[in-house]
Amino acid sequence: MENLQSAVETLVHGSNTLFLLCGAVMVLAMHAGFAFLEVGTVRQKNQVNALSKILSDFAVSTLAYFFIGYWISYGVTFLQPAAVISVDHGYALVKFFFLLTFAAAIPAIISGGIAERARFAPQLCATSLIVAFVYPFFEGVVWNGNFGAQAWLLANVGATFHDFAGSVVVHAMGGWLALAAVLLLGPRQGRFRDGKVVAFAPSNIPFLALGSWILIVGWFGFNVMSAQNLQGLSGLVAVNSLMAMVGGTVAALIVGRNDPGFLHNGPLAGLVAVCAGSDLMHPVGALVTGAIAGVLFVKCFIAAQGKWKIDDVLGVWPLHGICGVWGGIACGIFGQTALGGLGGVSLVSQLLGTGAGVLIALAGGFAVYGVLKASCGIRLSQEQEYYGADLSIHKIGAVSHD
């Protein structure tokens, strides 16, 4: 009987490790989506820089999260013998890998906002500081109960802040951090003239579309595998992700008047918004959540560029910041049993938790990028920006003209 019990436990631990590893690899693949979405959106003279930033940011994020960030979030360090950290088929290590891919999404999000005029080395410094300290602080509060904030909400409001897969913890944080960086950088040369927006057309719509599709597919690992074990696996999360993606696509297609840039960001807006409540909502609630996110993205992108003169190249603040905030709030609305959800959430808790995420992201973003701007500078020179980041930083263009 003992042998049978041991065999069952071994199978469970091995299965959970494999399950989470598959999720980690799917979210890792999403970074290729971030890369190609940016490559397709920026002008040709900045394509190499976009590819180089995403890969470099991921490497720096891994080091910052492994040695500092994960310890701040969860109180776990891997600076022990391999025999100690690899028990249960190395599940704890794979959990780190999975959550690392979330942490590394923060600089990947920021990269799209600051594209075409940010210096390379200072951005890597910003990545290390954000992934080591800013992001893990809020991640630990929400997902590990650090500092008693979740316990306080449960005692005083009746429910903790619920963010199943990171609408606020990952996406809103990334979007509002990016807004701080974008505002400190200022607009690209020639972007605004006589108070009007000068169109900088995307360099490659097929690459933009490819990036969107890679992100869409990987997002099912992002959401579904957030259960972190097979026992928690839910088809509801998968279908809610699907419905939100479709809602965002259709809404962006209609409101964006067939614009391919809006169309291919619409599904991403829906997926950002559904992360928080994907384990609680009814699929119809997820559809509505995604559709509203699609409209929010298009409207806020147009307003940010035209009315508020915020030169956010990929629209990461509307896409991740605004739609992430909406996702946190939508969880508190469509997660209620009265609207077909599973319940156990409080709109008040969702508002408080979402607001805290925005404030921490803005404070962290202005602190990190403000110090770097004052100390070493974060923007390319006028000449470097004119010739493009590819030649100025990497000494090679995306396309040979021989």
Side-chain angles (χ1 to χ4, degrees):
M1 200 65 179
E2 277 185 27
N3 289 338
L4 178 60
Q5 183 65 28
S6 176
V8 170
E9 288 180 0
T10 299
L11 181 61
V12 168
H13 289 308
S15 299
N16 285 335
T17 301
L18 179 60
F19 171 77
L20 199 54
L21 177 61
C22 290
V25 172
M26 288 182 73
V27 185
L28 173 62
M30 289 176 69
H31 288 264
F34 283 120
F36 278 96
L37 191 69
E38 185 172 336
V39 167
T41 305
V42 299
R43 289 168 291 179
Q44 191 176 76
K45 62 182 180 179
N46 297 297
Q47 289 181 326
V48 171
N49 181 242
L51 292 168
S52 301
K53 278 191 300 176
I54 299 298
L55 183 56
S56 300
D57 277 337
F58 188 88
V60 169
S61 296
T62 301
L63 297 176
Y65 198 62
F66 183 85
F67 288 106
I68 303 173
Y70 195 71
W71 172 73
I72 289 176
S73 292
Y74 301 101
V76 174
T77 177
F78 296 111
L79 301 180
Q80 305 169 59
V84 175
I85 62 177
S86 62
V87 296
D88 294 337
H89 297 271
Y91 177 83
L93 289 167
V94 172
K95 181 180 177 181
F96 155 77
F97 182 11
F98 180 69
L99 292 171
L100 159 69
T101 60
F102 282 49
I106 300 289
I109 290 167
I110 296 170
S111 176
I114 64 175
E116 302 203 312
R117 76 275 203 200
R119 292 179 61 203
F120 194 61
Q123 171 54 21
L124 292 180
C125 290
T127 291
S128 64
L129 292 171
I130 288 167
V131 176
F133 300 106
V134 181
Y135 169 75
F137 173 78
F138 188 63
E139 177 193 24
V141 167
V142 176
W143 286 343
N144 198 47
N146 294 355
F147 304 107
Q150 291 283 43
W152 184 89
L153 285 173
L154 181 61
N156 291 275
V157 184
T160 58
F161 172 62
H162 188 87
D163 190 359
F164 180 68
S167 285
V168 180
V169 174
V170 178
H171 297 287
M173 281 286 289
W176 289 88
L177 279 161
L179 176 63
V182 166
L183 292 175
L184 287 170
L185 268 174
R188 290 167 289 176
Q189 294 176 35
R191 179 59 169 161
F192 303 110
R193 191 175 300 153
D194 299 325
K196 296 182 179 179
V197 180
V198 177
F200 287 178
S203 60
N204 194 311
I205 296 296
F207 275 170
L208 187 159
L210 175 63
S212 175
W213 271 109
I214 294 172
L215 285 165
I216 288 168
V217 173
W219 222 297
F220 287 86
F222 198 100
N223 284 2
V224 175
M225 270 73 165
S226 283
Q228 298 189 21
N229 56 61
L230 279 170
Q231 295 93 318
L233 180 62
S234 171
L236 181 65
V237 176
V239 172
N240 281 344
S241 301
L242 174 68
M243 297 302 284
M245 183 271 284
V246 169
T249 303
V250 173
L253 174 66
I254 296 170
V255 179
R257 299 180 180 180
N258 302 326
D259 180 280
F262 288 142
L263 170 61
H264 285 92
N265 276 282
L268 309 183
L271 286 162
V272 165
V274 82
C275 285
S278 56
D279 62 328
L280 299 178
M281 296 179 182
H282 187 279
V284 175
L287 178 66
V288 174
T289 297
I292 292 173
V295 174
L296 279 173
F297 168 70
V298 174
K299 294 294 186 181
C300 291
F301 182 91
I302 293 171
Q305 301 284 340
K307 187 182 296 184
W308 303 321
K309 304 297 184 291
I310 299 173
D311 190 16
D312 176 355
V313 180
L314 268 66
V316 298
W317 175 58
L319 181 63
H320 298 274
I322 299 297
C323 293
V325 164
W326 162 238
I329 297 169
C331 176
I333 298 171
F334 295 105
Q336 302 289 344
T337 54
L339 292 176
L342 297 182
V345 287
S346 160
L347 181 56
V348 174
S349 285
Q350 295 307 112
L351 289 168
L352 291 173
T354 301
V358 170
L359 290 175
I360 291 168
L362 280 175
F366 278 114
V368 169
Y369 285 98
V371 168
L372 288 170
K373 181 178 181 178
S375 60
C376 62
I378 57 177
R379 180 158 182 158
L380 295 174
S381 69
Q382 187 173 355
E383 182 181 14
Q384 288 173 322
E385 188 178 339
Y386 174 78
Y387 285 109
D390 292 359
L391 295 179
S392 299
I393 298 173
H394 308 285
K395 312 304 180 186
I396 191 169
V399 179
S400 173
H401 297 286
D402 292 340

